[in-house]
Amino acid sequence: MDEVFLSIRGRVLINVEALSMTESVGNYVKHRRVPVILQEEGGYSVYFVPAISGESIAHGYQEVLAQTALNMNPPLPVCKLCSKGIFLKSTNENVFKEAFGKSSPKDDNELEKEIIKGCLVEDVGGFLYAHGGRNVKRTSNFYTGYMIPVRESLQNVVIEPQLHTRYALGTSFVKKGAERGQMIYYVELASAPYVFSFDLDTKYIGKTTFTYQNAGKLVVNDRKMRLHVALNALKKFLLEMMFGAKKTRFLPIVDWESICISVSDDVWTVPSPFTKDYIERAKLKQEKVSYNTKLYSFEFGKGSFEDAVLNAIEDAKKRLDII
Ligand SMILES: [Zn+2]
């Protein structure tokens, strides 16, 4: 096989997390909130609930991707900015010059080719070059979105501000009635069982997509290595849950409740884990529609989370003929 499609859906209980924060108002840092609509007794209700943004998940995956590429021997190409976790991704001419150390090609197809060849993160995760009226874009080959609380929990999830202080009373840094030392501050924490969604489509990795004449043309000679790195990065990203903010002092308590990973020869997505029976629904779907689709799942008390992830990645690699 030349391509494989992975779809990952899961439910993960996360306690006391500050993984996705929005603005701070004075000394108060807010957790991200989103509206979620729910069908209830013949009508609909809206809940404002804590959420973790897809951007935050995408950032995490791309950081692992960059590091995995650079750790290979020999390393795979990653541009100067992406290698430092700065995902400006060829936004304009100045960014391009800084990232690749040269001016961008005038031809749109050549520009996409240059970026794909020079940076695995932008090859896999896409980019948008917008400069002087010229727009060249590459759609990301992976898809992710907001983590929101699961359906049964919507009435019971909480966001709570926690007071913190770095006062050092009794030291010369805090004088009576004069300097106040460092301000007290509040951080909003949330606890909820969240849904998790992530798809990876390997079809266009290492291939151009922007100009229709060249869409799907292979432009690298290390595509297999790139797929190997994308899959290894995904494995590490999942097993170590490498996304989210504020983890140095608000490291959350994480318990995976279930996960379902499909590996297919063509686009095939696992149903939404918002409702509890999603693994059952995935099996029913697989009976009706299958592109050589295999499911790897874990539910609390049935199998292990690590096995589901490792076996799915192994299957994908086998299909792509990667050792
Ligand atoms: Zn880059």
Side-chain angles (χ1 to χ4, degrees):
M1 279 299 296
D2 185 47
E3 58 197 65
V4 68
F5 190 98
L6 270 98
S7 178
I8 305 161
R9 300 288 181 271
R11 285 181 155 214
V12 54
L13 180 63
I14 309 182
N15 271 304
V16 287
E17 57 86 9
L19 291 171
S20 193
M21 310 306 276
T22 52
E23 82 268 55
S24 52
V25 183
N27 61 343
Y28 192 100
V29 188
K30 286 181 75 184
H31 197 288
R32 186 174 294 283
R33 282 170 175 79
V34 293
V36 171
I37 196 156
L38 189 66
Q39 196 180 19
E40 282 178 325
E41 289 155 22
Y44 291 92
S45 308
V46 174
Y47 294 88
F48 281 85
V49 292
I52 298 164
S53 73
E55 292 285 6
S56 146
I57 299 167
H59 185 94
Y61 176 62
Q62 291 176 126
E63 272 196 337
V64 186
L65 190 60
Q67 284 315 310
T68 312
L70 294 169
N71 287 343
M72 297 296 288
N73 188 15
L76 266 70
V78 179
C79 81
K80 205 169 147 189
L81 292 171
C82 289
S83 67
K84 298 281 183 289
I86 301 164
F87 302 122
L88 289 172
K89 304 214 282 184
S90 310
T91 321
N92 58 39
E93 190 57 26
N94 279 341
V95 171
F96 184 95
K97 271 188 194 150
E98 180 64 23
F100 299 100
K102 57 186 165 188
S103 299
S104 72
K106 294 287 160 273
D107 177 72
D108 289 349
N109 184 53
E110 288 302 316
L111 173 64
E112 190 188 13
K113 251 167 89 172
E114 202 69 45
I115 297 173
I116 291 173
K117 283 185 183 170
C119 185
L120 177 67
V121 173
E122 290 169 74
D123 177 8
V124 176
F127 64 81
L128 174 63
Y129 176 93
H131 189 82
R134 184 178 172 205
N135 291 305
V136 180
K137 77 156 193 171
R138 177 172 175 81
T139 301
S140 173
N141 288 293
F142 72 88
Y143 305 74
T144 186
Y146 275 78
M147 293 175 75
I148 60 167
V150 305
R151 186 190 174 98
E152 317 89 274
S153 75
L154 284 185
Q155 288 100 331
N156 294 309
V157 291
V158 284
I159 297 182
E160 174 70 15
Q162 290 289 320
L163 171 68
H164 291 273
T165 171
R166 284 197 193 103
Y167 269 119
L169 291 171
T171 67
S172 60
F173 306 108
V174 185
K175 288 177 191 136
K176 250 187 202 165
E179 289 172 40
R180 296 173 55 210
Q182 195 170 350
M183 280 268 282
I184 55 166
Y185 59 101
Y186 295 89
V187 176
E188 281 192 345
L189 296 182
S191 292
Y194 287 105
V195 299
F196 177 85
S197 315
F198 192 104
D199 291 339
L200 175 68
D201 190 352
T202 64
K203 190 172 183 178
Y204 289 114
I205 293 176
K207 298 174 184 177
T208 44
T209 57
F210 184 68
T211 59
Y212 76 93
Q213 302 96 324
N214 297 292
K217 272 191 192 158
L218 183 67
V219 293
V220 296
N221 51 21
D222 57 356
R223 180 172 140 87
K224 231 171 223 186
M225 221 43 206
R226 286 171 181 243
L227 300 179
H228 176 75
V229 166
L231 289 168
N232 276 358
L234 182 57
K235 178 169 71 181
K236 186 167 184 194
F237 167 76
L238 283 172
L239 293 177
E240 309 305 335
M241 219 182 117
M242 293 172 79
F243 62 86
K246 278 197 161 305
K247 285 166 87 176
T248 59
R249 291 299 178 269
F250 295 88
L251 189 65
I253 317 300
V254 179
D255 292 290
W256 280 93
E257 293 186 334
S258 62
I259 196 166
C260 185
I261 309 177
S262 69
V263 183
S264 304
D265 292 348
D266 199 352
V267 179
W268 195 100
T269 55
V270 176
S272 153
F274 186 54
T275 41
K276 206 175 180 178
D277 62 348
Y278 74 104
I279 298 179
E280 278 313 304
R281 283 184 288 123
K283 286 175 185 164
L284 290 173
K285 179 179 174 181
Q286 183 201 21
E287 282 168 20
K288 296 187 177 110
V289 188
S290 169
Y291 305 104
N292 192 18
T293 302
K294 288 240 164 64
L295 298 177
Y296 298 89
S297 62
F298 148 75
E299 283 172 271
F300 192 73
K302 263 193 238 173
S304 89
F305 170 75
E306 289 77 15
D307 281 345
V309 173
L310 294 172
N311 293 338
I313 299 289
E314 190 72 18
D315 180 352
K317 282 188 182 174
K318 263 189 203 142
R319 291 178 197 222
L320 294 164
D321 201 18
I322 301 168
I323 348 88

